[in-house]
Amino acid sequence: MATTSSMFMYSLTIQPPTSVTQAILGQFAGTKEQQIVTASGSRLTIHKPDPTQGKITTILSQDVFGIIRTLAAFRLAGSNKDYIIIGSDSGRITIIEYVPAQNQFNRLHLETFGKSGIRRVIPGQYLAVDPKGRACLIASAEKNKLVYVLNRNAQAELTISSPLEAHKPQTLVFALVGLDVGYENPVFAVLEVDYTECDQDPTGQAFQEVEKSLVYYELDLGLNHVVRKWSDPVDRTANMLLQVPGGGDGPSGVLVCGLDNITYRHSNQDAFRVPIPRRRGATENPERKRCITAGVMHKMRGAFFFLLQSEDGDLFKVTIDMIEDDNGQPTGEVKKLKIKYFDTVPVASNLCILKSGFLFVASETGNHHFYQFEKLGDDDNETEYDSDSFPADPTEAYTAVYFHPRPSENVNLVESIDSMNPQLDCKVANLTDEDAPQIYSICGSGARSSFRMLKHGLEVNDIVDSELPSVPAAVWTTKITRNDEFDAYIVLSFDNGTLVLSIGETVEEVTDTGFLSSASTLAVQQLGEDALIQVHPKGIRHIRADRRVNEWPVPQHRSIVAATTNERQVAVALSSGEIVYFEMDTDGSLAEYDEKREMSGTVTCLSLGEVPEGRVRSQFLAVGCDDSTVRILSLDPESTLENKSVQALTSAPSALSIMAMPDSTSGGSTLYLHIGLYSGVYLRTVLDEITGELSDTRTRFLGPKPAKLFKVSVKGEPAVLALSSRSWLGYSDPQTKNFMLTPLSYVPLEWGSNFSSEQCTEGMVGIQGQNLRIFSIEKLGSNLLQQSIPLTYTPRRFVRHPEYPLFYTIESDNNTLSIETKQRLLNSETVVNGDGVELSPEEFGYPRAQGHWASCIHVVDPIHAKATLQQIDLTDNEAATTIVAVSFSSQSDETFLVVGTGKDVTVSPRTSSAGFIYIYRFLEDGKELEFIHKTKTEQPPSALLAFQGRLLAGIGNEVRIYDLGLKQLLRKCQAQVVPNLVVGLQTQGSRVIVSDVQESIVYVVYKYQDNRLIPFVDDVIARWTTCSTMVDYETVAGGDKFGNLWLLRCPQKVSEESDEDSSGGHLVHERQYLQGAPNRLALMCHFYPQDIPTSIQKTQLVAGGRDILVWTGLQGTLGILVPFVSREDVDFFQTLEQHLRGEEAPLAGRDHLIYRSYYVPVKGMIDGDLCERYPLLSNDKKQMIAGELDRSVREIERKISDMRTRVAY
């Protein structure tokens, strides 16, 4: 298979995966504060919890280009900084540290121990660290365990030993934890099963009798080897171990969590066992046993406790009582184990308790939660169960214990962190008639599922919105003296006058400021130490601190058309095309320079930069004229107003702004000229600080209105507010320092200015029509805004109304009681008092029941009502499987909603008692659904599609065409085209593309005159298809359940033959090839993005952008594939990618090329996420790669940023 391709795509991530597979806590920055490090797919992210505000902010996120399987934090004895150990699929153990000064991860050690990939005998699945930071154990699912001794050398650097083996063949590992033994030899506890006898026994008897053991492995530091110290059988269902504090803090040992019980075990202590309490209630099955899915131990001074979570999300507090000696001091011998119900939180993959009194819940599905502890549950009236009442022997029976769930008392939710995991379907559509489309997606599971609308933009915090007496033209804010911390005045300019408002507790009009109120204003500036400047069409007014006013009048028959100011300089353009320049004298008065400069055309805009630190003037003046040019003039006293450089533009400039901004290329700060054009285009170009040359121009289309630019500051950094038909903010990304231009999720403004007062230290003031608005921007981290509408059950698919901005979702949950069954149980005669309480499903989940399905259809209005408008519940244990809107030509093209359902469905093995196809009619512009009829099928329909005015249905391995009858659907045609199960249908013309669950894709043609469906081309690889879309008539793009993306193309000749007008006889009688269709599809592109694609579609994401493929992944990923237009670009990016693979090797030691070729060699794809690591490299590496590519660093960075900004965010 050739790995070169005639087609190339550029793969980019717009939103990284949001599901957290692992979360660890530690002091990674070496300060007192704790940080949380999370792993999501291949991304490692470090978060900073802010205990004062109760918020979590992301400091750094990095793609390691490998699958992170496990993380652990450790610190060497005596140090105050935690290091991170990563167990990944690279066959290597990686130790990294976080360097706060550079805000990056730094790799310290990379030790190879085995093959790459996730294999059962290669370590990396389990990782445990000795609490004193002396050693770590990394183990595989079977057989192999390696111990690495960690130490420091004479230079106080971290060292790692060569591995010590603790292998035991034919042994499966279930859990692994480091024991707290103080400063004795490190010990690791492992849950193991030895399957030697099961393997040799064909009767299965040995499997029934196999024991699970708790084994202690001790690392003898003196002899430098590992011994198997102690082994004892435990409960066969044990699945988890938790470390119990030892040394001076506790008894040491482990908690072994199994089905329905928790046992304390240690080599020199008795066992103590408590049951896991079960929920009591009318809808609960009293026989259902729970197991522990997540747990955390927290040490306080002289005490410790565990919080363990069951699969319902209930948290239990477990404590250990120790026997005390005569002085009342604990002896380290255990007396009893106690358990009680604590609270209920979402089911977590990891729990972290912070020292500042917060609980971080990394949810398995839906948003992650950040809670604050109100109390520790010591004084509530929950029943506490202790180990005295229960036998310690795992084989003995005991009576179950119960509790009543209740709303949270001990923890209080302070922040919910958006997570779109699992993301099940997605559509890109423009329903709000803005310039750019929005992304609509369904995600989450159970009662915590939601319908989300994602929009590109920054979140704006609205502070003031007040109406003004008439429509203002412009607004400024100004201080009175240079050393003021806050602004004193808001100056509003109207067509015929100026209004000055003072800023204090309230904002009110003032008249004695020295400002001329009878004319409109062109510019306002605080000048020198304590003076103010007002530029109006007839002159410049200089207001001194003692309210003396100096006026510079305009020469006769002329007026000022444009002005620009900074704290020492003023430049104005007159209607005659002259430019007059002033500079502040030593005595604080404005001196006019004799040189005037005639411009060739009318001046439309001017800009002076800020005066740099330690200088007396800004070097350059930028002048924009209506002949579509921008000129840079020198302000040097020797060469005042001399031309330095000129830039031609596509349209006349409407606004200019010279400002210094942080820059990823130089690593420091660079002077930029920002240009706004009358055509609504924004340009940013680098202004050379010595020569005044303009270079490296980047453009972006903002909207159809002329662009206006204003200098503002956000988060202490300079930023540019660009206003056109939408408001945009240009700022440097907090992490990468790349320049970002993002629209504000706000009303379109006509004018803006910085605003700073005691109540709002860093805000902006703007004009919208007749309103004055004050607002601030809090978050620069994420540029995708989410709005969420809660749904009832796990959403499966959704479809948009063909005309109105409405969506229809189908939702279903397995092993969940349906509404009618639940009501029947709650209202039954036998319900005891207190058991009939219905719990809110958002907090507690739905009552579980084996074999039951709960399912419904929703009408969702994301634009106007922002809510669900109608819910239709399905009865008779049916579950909705697929949905589509079809316009039937037999019903004069009326559109109906078609829903496929299955009755008594078992997921694995796949069985059901029947399937149905429901038909609904749209009422009230689609806001209501009316049931028409349903048609029974042998199996649940797994794919539906509108096809030539009829319905195409995939049922089992058959494709059928139905038409709408009065009582039910009428079958018109059917064909068996795939071997297993149809999971997707796409169409263009008479061609249908059918996806099979495990046999890739088949192209089928429908011959109308013969009423036949004929497959004519299929694939060579068995792809387990999850989603597909047609890119053009010959090409299809899709994803599979192993996390691959691919593009397949039908050979041109075969495609033309299939569409010949005949009856298709030549296709039917053509010889089959290897039990399949006569022809094969060609693979064009293949890529491994490391998330399971759940939807893919061809669309645009920005106004005026090209068509791209947008795909979404199960873990919440949003990605795009951008086609390359020229071969030259392909060569450039291929070479860049090749250099980056060598220079910026992935953090966890995985080979990038092999990683992206996990199942099939990567083909026709360039990894944009790797290319975007280029701006983050050190300067010498950037220069080296730029030299190899024969380009400048800026040119490379521009190409990389253009690939993203032209088509996406």
Side-chain angles (χ1 to χ4, degrees), residues 613-909:
E613 194 78 31
R615 299 274 182 89
V616 292
R617 66 177 68 82
S618 166
Q619 294 286 357
F620 303 113
L621 170 68
V623 183
C625 299
D626 63 357
D627 58 357
S628 300
T629 59
V630 169
R631 294 171 201 279
I632 301 294
L633 307 183
S634 164
L635 298 179
D636 210 25
E638 274 79 65
S639 59
T640 309
L641 301 186
E642 264 187 29
N643 211 1
K644 281 285 193 184
S645 66
V646 64
Q647 166 114 11
L649 305 165
T650 52
S651 136
S654 54
L656 294 172
S657 174
I658 296 178
M659 56 194 279
M661 289 180 82
D663 175 29
S664 64
T665 311
S666 62
S669 147
T670 301
L671 202 59
Y672 289 109
L673 171 63
H674 303 268
I675 309 170
L677 305 186
Y678 275 101
S679 57
V681 172
Y682 160 86
L683 296 92
R684 184 186 75 138
T685 166
V686 176
L687 176 59
D688 190 297
E689 299 184 27
I690 293 143
T691 63
E693 290 291 323
L694 296 172
S695 62
D696 185 33
T697 307
R698 304 193 186 181
T699 59
R700 189 82 182 265
F701 177 60
L702 302 182
K705 282 188 178 174
K708 300 194 191 97
L709 307 174
F710 305 94
K711 179 178 191 293
V712 292
S713 96
V714 178
K715 299 269 177 239
E717 296 279 2
V720 59
L721 183 66
L723 307 179
S724 173
S725 54
R726 290 166 87 178
S727 315
W728 298 69
L729 186 76
Y731 57 98
S732 31
D733 182 86
Q735 278 183 36
T736 61
K737 296 290 176 269
N738 282 346
F739 182 72
M740 310 276 282
L741 192 66
T742 311
L744 301 181
S745 170
Y746 203 49
V747 291
L749 300 170
E750 277 99 56
W751 198 275
S753 173
N754 229 10
F755 176 82
S756 175
S757 73
E758 283 185 47
Q759 288 78 24
C760 164
T761 49
E762 204 175 48
M764 291 168 216
V765 56
I767 295 170
Q768 176 239 340
Q770 204 171 326
N771 291 11
L772 181 74
R773 286 175 173 262
I774 299 176
F775 58 94
S776 68
I777 294 166
E778 303 291 332
K779 284 185 190 163
L780 289 181
S782 69
N783 60 359
L784 278 177
L785 283 173
Q786 295 191 12
Q787 285 180 339
S788 176
I789 299 169
L791 298 175
T792 308
Y793 304 114
T794 306
R796 303 291 170 176
R797 287 271 172 267
F798 74 133
V799 64
R800 189 193 151 188
H801 192 286
E803 293 154 48
Y804 303 106
L806 296 169
F807 286 97
Y808 304 90
T809 64
I810 49 168
E811 299 153 40
S812 59
D813 267 325
N814 194 4
N815 296 337
T816 302
L817 286 180
S818 65
I819 287 186
E820 46 179 309
T821 320
K822 197 164 83 176
Q823 287 311 62
R824 200 176 68 237
L825 289 169
L826 285 169
N827 302 335
S828 92
E829 311 281 303
T830 56
V831 173
V832 197
N833 189 16
D835 282 1
V837 181
E838 192 172 353
L839 301 167
S840 109
E842 290 79 28
E843 283 181 57
F844 299 97
Y846 289 107
R848 309 275 186 89
Q850 202 68 31
H852 285 254
W853 283 88
S855 185
C856 70
I857 303 165
H858 267 139
V859 183
V860 183
D861 177 357
I863 306 301
H864 306 299
K866 292 189 168 44
T868 52
L869 305 178
Q870 185 187 8
Q871 175 170 339
I872 299 171
D873 286 299
L874 297 181
T875 54
D876 290 345
N877 206 25
E878 280 180 48
T881 55
T882 176
I883 184 169
V884 71
V886 183
S887 79
F888 285 98
S889 28
S890 59
Q891 303 289 322
S892 57
D893 287 342
E894 186 187 343
T895 305
F896 292 86
L897 188 71
V898 183
V899 177
T901 70
K903 184 172 160 64
D904 306 328
V905 179
T906 313
V907 181
S908 174

Side-chain angles (χ1 to χ4, degrees), residues 316 621 748 1065 1153:
F316 299 102
L621 170 68
L1153 181 62

Side-chain angles (χ1 to χ4, degrees), residues 391-403:
D393 178 7
T395 55
E396 282 186 46
Y398 53 84
T399 50
V401 297
Y402 296 92
F403 71 96

Side-chain angles (χ1 to χ4, degrees), residues 475-707:
V475 61
W476 294 269
T477 54
T478 179
K479 304 172 176 181
I480 295 179
T481 71
R482 176 191 286 195
N483 300 326
D484 286 358
E485 193 183 342
F486 301 119
D487 293 328
Y489 298 139
I490 295 178
V491 182
L492 290 157
S493 166
F494 296 89
D495 289 345
N496 53 1
T498 296
L499 178 69
V500 183
L501 307 173
S502 82
I503 303 168
E505 290 295 317
T506 58
V507 173
E508 54 213 17
E509 187 179 345
V510 281
T511 50
D512 58 345
T513 54
F515 281 96
L516 181 68
S517 59
S518 59
S520 63
T521 301
L522 294 172
V524 172
Q525 173 74 42
Q526 189 274 318
L527 190 83
E529 289 302 321
D530 52 9
L532 294 171
I533 285 278
Q534 177 192 15
V535 183
H536 53 90
K538 286 296 170 204
I540 299 174
R541 202 173 166 91
H542 184 192
I543 306 160
R544 294 297 190 87
D546 50 10
R547 297 293 154 90
R548 277 183 307 156
V549 173
N550 297 349
E551 184 87 40
W552 176 84
V554 172
Q556 269 187 326
H557 309 305
R558 297 177 205 168
S559 61
I560 298 177
V561 291
T564 175
T565 60
N566 64 27
E567 59 211 41
R568 301 185 59 89
Q569 296 158 288
V570 177
V572 296
L574 305 182
S575 49
S576 58
E578 284 175 313
I579 287 176
V580 190
Y581 169 63
F582 303 81
E583 199 169 296
M584 198 177 78
D585 272 355
T586 43
D587 64 348
S589 61
L590 271 185
E592 179 185 345
Y593 269 63
D594 301 337
E595 292 89 346
K596 290 190 175 52
R597 173 74 194 267
E598 284 269 348
M599 301 307 283
S600 51
T602 308
V603 177
T604 55
C605 48
L606 297 169
S607 175
L608 280 164
E610 293 284 302
V611 180
E613 194 78 31
R615 299 274 182 89
V616 292
R617 66 177 68 82
S618 166
Q619 294 286 357
F620 303 113
L621 170 68
V623 183
C625 299
D626 63 357
D627 58 357
S628 300
T629 59
V630 169
R631 294 171 201 279
I632 301 294
L633 307 183
S634 164
L635 298 179
D636 210 25
E638 274 79 65
S639 59
T640 309
L641 301 186
E642 264 187 29
N643 211 1
K644 281 285 193 184
S645 66
V646 64
Q647 166 114 11
L649 305 165
T650 52
S651 136
S654 54
L656 294 172
S657 174
I658 296 178
M659 56 194 279
M661 289 180 82
D663 175 29
S664 64
T665 311
S666 62
S669 147
T670 301
L671 202 59
Y672 289 109
L673 171 63
H674 303 268
I675 309 170
L677 305 186
Y678 275 101
S679 57
V681 172
Y682 160 86
L683 296 92
R684 184 186 75 138
T685 166
V686 176
L687 176 59
D688 190 297
E689 299 184 27
I690 293 143
T691 63
E693 290 291 323
L694 296 172
S695 62
D696 185 33
T697 307
R698 304 193 186 181
T699 59
R700 189 82 182 265
F701 177 60
L702 302 182
K705 282 188 178 174

Side-chain angles (χ1 to χ4, degrees), residues 1155-1187:
Y1155 167 68
R1156 289 299 189 200
S1157 314
Y1158 227 108
Y1159 294 94
V1160 172
V1162 63
K1163 176 177 178 178
M1165 284 271 193
I1166 283 160
D1167 186 358
D1169 295 337
L1170 180 67
C1171 295
E1172 289 191 345
R1173 300 278 311 152
Y1174 178 79
L1176 302 170
L1177 294 176
S1178 60
N1179 268 349
D1180 45 348
K1181 279 190 180 174
K1182 281 192 203 174
Q1183 295 289 359
M1184 194 204 81
I1185 293 176

Side-chain angles (χ1 to χ4, degrees), residues 943-957:
L944 298 172
L945 180 73
F947 178 68
Q948 298 182 354
R950 298 194 281 188
L951 171 71
L952 191 67
I955 296 168
N957 59 1

